[in-house]
Amino acid sequence: MTATHTRTTDPAASSDRKTTYREAMREALREALRTDERVFLMGEDVGRYGGCFGVSLGLLEEFGPERIRDAPLSESAFVGAGIGAALAGMRPIVEIMTVNFSLLALDQILNNAATLLHMSGGQLPVPIVIRMTTGAGRQLAAQHSHSLEGWYAHIPGLRVLAPATLTDARYMLAPALADPDPVLIFEHGSLYNVSGDLPADTGPVDIDHAAVRRPGTDVSLITYGGSLPKALAAADDLANDGISAEVVDLRTLRPLDDTTIGDSVARTHRAVVIDEGWRTGSLAAEISARVTEQHFYDLDAPVGRVCSAEVPMPYARRLEEAALPQVDGIVAAARRAVGGPVPTGADAAERQAVTGRAG
Amino acid sequence: MLRVRRFEERCVELYSAARIRGFMHLYIGEEAVAVGVNEALTDADAVVSTYREHGHALARGVPAEAIMAEMFGKVTGCSRGRGGSMHLFDAGRRFYGGNAIVGGGIPLAAGLALADRMTGRNRVTCCFFGDGAFAEGEFHETANLAALWELPLLLVCENNLYAMGTALARHQAQTDLALRAAGYGMVSWAVDGMDVFAVEDAARRAAEGIRAGTGPHFLEMHTYRFRAHSMYDPDRYRDKAEIEHWKERDPVEGLARRLRDAKELSDKARTALEDRLSAEIDGAVEAAEQAPDEPVEDLLKYVTSPVGVSRP
Ligand SMILES: Cc1ncc(C[n+]2csc(CCOP(=O)(O)OP(=O)(O)O)c2C)c(N)n1
């Protein structure tokens, strides 16, 4: 499954410049709306409010209410309407406030978007892009904090993306729109305020391949989305102790890029998967299984996993932090993989994430 | 109408002989709705349907041969054997299924209508669904959305008085569905769904209203299915007398009677028509039987679009 696309140039992006993840997303939307009149953005509060997370702020003024379309609180109806519009030649970008609410539209996403091409014997591709936030870390408690992208990655017929960097936030949308099939984009809520230099126009992101964000030789930290910054921080810590960690950003959760994952494991012989989803039945479980199936004889240690504790996400800061993958836990898991000493505090944190038992 | 009736009667035989399988829901008794509504639509319009869609598909012009081959799971089927009875599709005829999730097609239909509205194409999207679907959130979410955005959508509710085995009064707090739809600010009315002329007339007026830009319209078709819900249903929840009562209003025979009385259909012409349909359906069955199976090597086809395809 390869998405082809035309390279777009944005005069504003001719040299590196400071921006945020949120602004990068907005720029991507603006470019899509400017370059293709079939593109429109639809969702709750995307217009006058400017987007629940401020991503679409200002787009209403620029593109008008037909194309920046405030929808009623009807996840199923407006996601389904996006699917119908895609069938009729439009290129809808549908925004669902958070993955938690996408469950009200799960029927449309799974039973229609993901299946129409197949059930129709190839007659009805659904070129829709559905964006939503995911993840915890802002003390919003269980109903606003879960990471369910792994569930969507379970579904044949969908492509699932998780932009973790400014560049991916800026340049993933174009190839997503060029894909003839439904694409889900998961934006981790903790990333919107991340700022940094956006490299000069790199062209559309390659959404078929994972990216090695930091090369290393001793252990592969395999992750995506909101956990990428944590994995990179863990790699820094590990480097201080002389352990060279390679950080692989999956970028596309479905289809998984087995090659990049496998090449990394073949280099390092050890792997730790970091995934904010619950451990049981997680994406991390799938990756671990694949690494074991395909690279068993490359491995010098069992595949480690750092996931969220098996609990609905709590509100209290200490509890929420304890429930989520953290740098300490990642460091501990990596050390365990390379057979090094594991500091006691970090050990507890990692154990908790691994066993899913608090205390 | 007669084609739909005879086609499905043949399906019953084939099903009983285990030549076709799966869930199969017959439309027998409701033919006037599909035929009357489709008479009011043009080729440019779109139709979204349910799992009880043989009649809708035939009335839309999907060839009996392609439908029959689909039921046989053959590569020549209108969904290349991936859909079966509940998932008939024909993109060229703008027939968008074939949806086995009750209410699942309703938001999709709104989206087809939205695309027309946004691009200024003066087309109607017609969505069929049952009285059972009227209880689903997807209907109410979509009714609100369609009325709010004045979408060119024709909502056709086939009120056959039952959602599987649950009678209307047992699943709807207010059984006047047209009244409730009107509450969304849509033009809504109830129609005798056993009379093809009444259906066509209502659908034509609704389609005209929609084309004139007055937003979605809702038609509640009072109809009845003579057969069980599906081939698996022993039909224990209905009175035989009730069924017999409705059969007196058989839309197919009712039309034939009227045409005969008006001297527009002689006995001889009727026989000739029956013979022609019988031959057509024989041909469809034979073609389906002869058609190649979809090769198992192609199992994973159509899950995602072929590599390199992008929508220009
Ligand atoms: C969402 C969903 N719930 C339940 C079912 C099982 N089911 C199939 S048909 C049906 C009854 C629907 O009745 P109605 O909408 O009146 O349509 P009819 O069968 O009378 O044409 C039910 C409950 C389903 N297919 N989808």
Side-chain angles (χ1 to χ4, degrees):
Chain A
M1 191 162 82
T2 306
T4 56
H5 32 68
T6 45
R7 200 182 150 90
T8 46
T9 33
D10 180 346
S14 52
S15 64
D16 288 16
R17 76 209 140 82
K18 205 130 190 95
T19 189
T20 62
Y21 185 94
R22 171 184 292 109
E23 284 162 14
M25 289 291 322
R26 186 186 306 142
E27 233 174 74
L29 288 169
R30 184 180 285 125
E31 177 193 68
L33 287 152
R34 273 194 190 146
T35 51
D36 187 344
E37 60 181 22
R38 299 167 306 171
V39 170
F40 65 102
L41 176 68
M42 171 163 61
E44 290 155 4
D45 284 313
V46 295
R48 274 176 224 288
Y49 193 90
C52 179
F53 294 90
V55 171
S56 51
L57 201 66
L59 296 182
L60 175 69
E61 288 70 23
E62 194 173 341
F63 297 102
E66 276 281 297
R67 298 183 70 202
I68 307 297
R69 192 169 271 271
D70 279 319
L73 298 179
S74 306
E75 283 77 6
S76 189
F78 72 74
V79 170
I83 295 165
L87 288 175
M90 301 298 284
R91 304 308 311 265
I93 302 171
V94 176
E95 176 178 308
I96 304 177
M97 281 184 178
T98 86
V99 66
N100 311 273
F101 319 145
S102 77
L103 302 188
L104 282 79
L106 188 54
D107 168 56
Q108 289 297 325
I109 298 172
L110 170 50
N111 284 320
N112 281 338
T115 47
L116 280 170
L117 179 70
H118 184 79
M119 287 196 310
S120 66
Q123 293 180 81
L124 298 179
V126 183
I128 189 175
V129 171
I130 303 174
R131 302 172 37 236
M132 59 189 112
T133 52
T134 185
R138 289 161 300 141
Q139 282 195 268
L140 300 177
Q143 292 177 339
H144 284 69
S145 302
H146 289 146
S147 288
L148 306 178
E149 54 277 1
W151 290 7
Y152 287 102
H154 175 66
I155 302 172
L158 301 179
R159 181 188 284 272
V160 180
L161 305 181
T165 65
L166 292 180
T167 304
D168 283 6
R170 174 63 185 86
Y171 296 109
M172 236 185 208
L173 185 63
L177 281 165
D179 193 308
D181 300 316
V183 179
L184 269 52
I185 302 181
F186 287 91
E187 300 159 20
H188 196 287
S190 68
L191 293 175
Y192 286 123
N193 287 332
V194 168
S195 68
D197 286 327
L198 180 69
D201 183 6
T202 53
V205 167
D206 170 3
I207 56 172
D208 285 317
H209 293 100
V212 175
R213 297 297 183 197
R214 173 186 176 123
T217 52
D218 296 332
V219 57
S220 299
L221 304 179
I222 301 166
T223 190
Y224 67 91
S227 298
L228 177 65
K230 292 175 182 174
L232 289 169
D236 282 344
D237 282 8
L238 290 162
N240 291 335
D241 297 343
I243 298 169
S244 164
E246 175 150 302
V247 179
V248 176
D249 173 5
L250 295 170
R251 192 147 73 178
T252 299
L253 310 185
R254 186 183 186 97
L256 279 171
D257 175 8
D258 289 317
T259 308
T260 302
I261 296 170
D263 288 352
S264 178
V265 172
R267 271 193 297 276
T268 64
H269 307 290
R270 295 168 187 92
V272 172
V273 189
I274 305 107
D275 171 5
E276 209 177 296
W278 292 298
R279 187 162 170 271
T280 303
S282 59
L283 193 67
E286 173 63 25
I287 294 164
S288 167
R290 288 190 189 204
V291 169
T292 311
E293 278 168 354
Q294 297 165 21
H295 298 281
F296 185 73
Y297 297 104
D298 283 327
L299 286 172
D300 285 344
V303 178
R305 284 192 281 160
V306 184
C307 298
S308 283
E310 308 262 326
V311 60
M313 199 54 66
Y315 160 73
R317 175 170 288 292
R318 277 159 48 88
L319 295 180
E320 187 189 43
E321 279 174 0
L324 287 171
Q326 300 295 358
V327 176
D328 282 356
I330 302 168
V331 168
R335 285 209 180 149
R336 196 181 309 284
V338 297
V342 178
T344 40
D347 189 28
E350 192 240 352
R351 252 178 224 292
Q352 179 193 316
V354 166
T355 61
R357 268 184 248 284
Chain B
M1 270 203 279
L2 199 57
R3 174 181 284 112
V4 177
R5 176 70 57 93
R6 296 293 178 252
F7 180 90
E8 289 205 315
E9 285 168 349
R10 187 69 62 90
C11 289
V12 175
E13 289 168 24
L14 292 164
Y15 200 92
S16 305
R19 307 261 289 286
I20 56 180
R21 297 274 73 189
F23 275 147
M24 187 169 84
H25 308 82
L26 299 176
Y27 197 58
I28 290 175
E30 305 188 30
E31 296 92 340
V33 179
V35 171
V37 169
N38 271 286
E39 284 298 310
L41 301 175
T42 71
D43 289 349
D45 296 332
V47 171
V48 177
S49 179
T50 67
Y51 46 85
R52 196 183 298 288
E53 87 277 35
H54 303 159
H56 303 143
L58 285 165
R60 186 67 193 158
V62 184
E65 202 172 306
I67 301 174
M68 194 57 88
E70 186 58 32
M71 314 258 248
F72 274 78
K74 296 299 182 80
V75 65
T76 51
C78 62
S79 308
R80 294 193 220 221
R82 263 67 170 187
S85 164
M86 299 193 289
H87 305 292
L88 306 176
F89 294 91
D90 189 334
R93 290 185 174 81
R94 304 207 71 220
F95 186 73
Y96 294 96
N99 202 311
I101 305 295
V102 172
I106 308 175
L108 198 116
L112 291 163
L114 173 64
D116 288 338
R117 162 99 218 224
M118 289 183 76
T119 51
R121 291 181 294 234
N122 197 4
R123 309 195 291 202
V124 172
T125 298
C126 168
C127 183
F128 293 100
F129 55 95
D131 50 287
F134 201 102
E136 291 280 1
E138 296 206 305
F139 169 76
H140 296 276
E141 287 190 14
T142 307
N144 176 53
L145 192 102
L148 186 71
W149 292 350
E150 296 170 347
L151 301 181
L153 181 64
L154 174 58
L155 293 163
V156 179
C157 180
E158 300 180 319
N159 179 0
N160 60 16
L161 296 174
Y162 290 88
M164 283 183 64
T166 307
L168 187 68
R170 290 180 176 277
H171 71 82
Q172 300 287 343
Q174 163 58 270
T175 56
D176 185 338
L177 305 183
L179 178 75
R180 286 166 68 195
Y184 287 103
M186 284 188 275
V187 182
S188 308
W189 71 97
V191 183
D192 177 359
M194 303 307 262
D195 176 350
V196 69
F197 296 115
V199 171
E200 185 186 338
D201 182 55
R204 211 172 277 289
R205 278 198 285 151
E208 274 166 18
I210 292 165
R211 289 187 212 286
T214 56
H217 283 49
F218 179 93
L219 297 178
E220 178 186 354
M221 299 290 177
H222 287 292
T223 183
Y224 199 78
R225 59 172 160 74
F226 296 166
R227 302 274 182 147
H229 167 73
S230 75
M231 296 303 286
Y232 282 92
D233 168 16
D235 205 352
R236 282 192 283 254
Y237 45 84
R238 305 192 295 187
D239 254 3
K240 292 282 166 293
E242 179 185 288
I243 301 173
E244 289 314 312
H245 169 73
W246 278 90
K247 277 190 176 168
E248 285 165 21
R249 307 208 42 234
D250 184 329
V252 176
E253 289 314 318
L255 176 64
R257 232 181 354 256
R258 275 162 78 170
L259 292 177
R260 201 178 47 220
D261 293 350
K263 307 231 180 307
E264 286 180 37
L265 183 72
S266 65
D267 288 349
K268 206 171 135 209
R270 165 89 190 241
T271 310
L273 181 60
E274 292 277 10
D275 289 347
R276 190 156 59 76
L277 288 172
S278 181
E280 178 185 322
I281 296 164
D282 284 347
V285 174
E286 204 178 302
E289 278 181 331
Q290 313 268 306
D293 286 319
E294 182 66 336
V296 172
E297 304 83 75
D298 287 351
L299 172 68
L300 297 184
K301 255 188 166 179
Y302 316 122
V303 176
T304 52
S305 297
V307 171
V309 168
S310 73
R311 307 255 99 193

